[in-house]
Amino acid sequence: MNAMADPNSSDMVSDTLRTRAKGVFPFPLACPSFVYRAGYAENVQRLAPFVDEIQLLFFESRFADSLPSPALIDQLAGLAREGGVTFNVHLPSDIFLGHPDTAERQRAANVLIDLIQRCTPLTPSTFTLHLERDPSEPNDRRWQDHTTATLETVLAAGIDNRCISIENLDYDFNLAAPIVKALDLSVCMDMGHLLAHGKALKPFYTRWQDRISIVHLHGVDGNKDHLPLDRLSAPHAAGILALVKRFPNVVALEVYSVAAIEASLGWLKKRLTVDG
């Protein structure tokens, strides 16, 4: 993992989740596939009793075992049926769809097509994608044109436009907006990223609400993010709760330890339940 919660950010709990949040919120709640220090299958098996959905994280693509094997996909599908959970998929973030080099763009397209097709039997709710900015391409318009063309190649492989959700990162999402609209893509609203960069939540939500298929949620302290939700300030907490309580799609916690998940689940259950 490339984003780990601060182990000192919450009171430590046991090494097993205790707070069950399955079916208790107005939205399906997801957590990452790496909470326990184990592989995908063990995490899914151990997390399934506690949440509605699991976010399968495939951040890297350059190693022989980066992408899931058919055997793993079959195993995850069986565990999902047994555990009553669904999946969403986070696509690799080490690829550059807008890279100035044609070969790099083709590699990025190939990675996305391969991974999406491998995971399709799991019927994920969405495939979340980072449109990373490579410093070797400083020209915004070229980056947009190259990124659009690469994604057109991906979609031409028979992949549904709205199954891909573009996540807001550390740059102005207005740069990605023409790509999202031109290709009729979905949006992943990462509330923590917005707060960490001093951006208001409501204007983003209002603009993109018809396309938002998933919300990423984590605590923020200044510009430090991916913290448990109990680290949120009162104003930030109020803004988040006002939006997610009426959000119909998946809300995914993006914290990466048992302690951070436990603290976040407890925080949410105290403040937002179906009857609350």
Side-chain angles (χ1 to χ4, degrees):
M1 288 299 309
N2 61 359
M4 298 296 293
D6 180 357
N8 299 315
S9 60
S10 294
D11 292 336
M12 295 303 292
V13 298
S14 71
D15 61 357
T16 301
L17 288 179
R18 297 170 298 172
T19 301
R20 294 180 183 267
K22 200 179 188 74
V24 304
F25 299 118
F27 44 77
L29 184 76
C31 73
S33 58
F34 290 116
V35 174
Y36 297 101
R37 294 186 180 276
Y40 292 99
E42 183 176 338
N43 269 275
V44 169
Q45 187 173 40
R46 296 180 69 178
L47 295 169
F50 297 91
V51 294
D52 305 296
E53 184 160 301
I54 295 171
Q55 180 188 53
L56 297 175
L57 302 175
F58 299 106
F59 283 141
E60 297 177 328
S61 67
R62 296 181 180 272
F63 302 100
D65 60 348
S66 292
L67 304 186
S69 67
L72 177 59
I73 294 297
D74 288 345
Q75 186 179 16
L76 293 178
L79 290 171
R81 289 191 297 269
E82 293 169 10
V85 291
T86 53
F87 295 113
N88 67 81
V89 172
H90 198 303
L91 296 164
S93 57
D94 63 349
I95 54 175
F96 300 97
L97 284 73
H99 198 282
D101 182 71
T102 303
E104 279 295 313
R105 297 198 301 273
Q106 186 60 56
R107 193 190 85 81
N110 292 343
V111 166
L112 293 184
I113 293 168
D114 189 4
L115 182 52
I116 291 172
Q117 289 179 341
R118 290 184 191 215
C119 292
T120 293
L122 300 176
T123 60
S125 60
T126 190
F127 292 88
T128 298
L129 176 63
H130 287 185
L131 298 185
E132 298 283 358
R133 298 297 310 275
D134 189 298
S136 63
E137 179 50 279
N139 185 289
D140 291 340
R141 181 58 182 272
R142 280 200 307 264
W143 175 80
Q144 291 169 331
D145 290 345
H146 285 155
T147 301
T148 300
T150 305
L151 281 171
E152 286 174 339
T153 299
V154 174
L155 297 172
I159 294 165
D160 181 68
N161 304 54
R162 285 295 182 104
C163 82
I164 297 177
S165 51
I166 305 302
E167 181 176 349
N168 57 289
L169 302 174
D170 57 353
Y171 59 82
D172 189 338
F173 198 70
N174 285 326
L175 289 173
I179 302 167
V180 170
K181 291 181 177 179
L183 299 179
D184 192 26
L185 305 174
S186 294
V187 168
C188 166
M189 180 181 180
D190 191 306
M191 292 187 173
H193 289 169
L194 289 168
L195 294 175
H197 292 92
K199 303 294 184 182
L201 299 179
K202 190 173 180 180
F204 187 102
Y205 184 88
T206 299
R207 179 176 181 184
W208 298 107
Q209 60 183 326
D210 292 339
R211 293 184 183 271
I212 299 172
S213 59
I214 186 169
V215 161
H216 286 177
L217 195 57
H218 42 96
V220 173
D221 186 356
N223 62 1
K224 187 175 184 180
D225 60 2
H226 294 285
L227 301 174
L229 295 183
D230 60 3
R231 291 289 296 272
L232 287 166
S233 68
H236 285 167
I240 284 172
L241 294 172
L243 294 178
V244 299
K245 70 182 181 182
R246 57 192 174 94
F247 181 64
N249 299 322
V250 176
V251 174
L253 296 175
E254 283 206 323
V255 292
Y256 306 103
S257 71
V258 172
I261 292 287
E262 183 70 22
S264 298
L265 292 179
W267 186 92
L268 271 176
K269 287 190 76 171
K270 287 180 182 177
R271 292 161 176 78
L272 189 64
T273 65
V274 172
D275 298 324

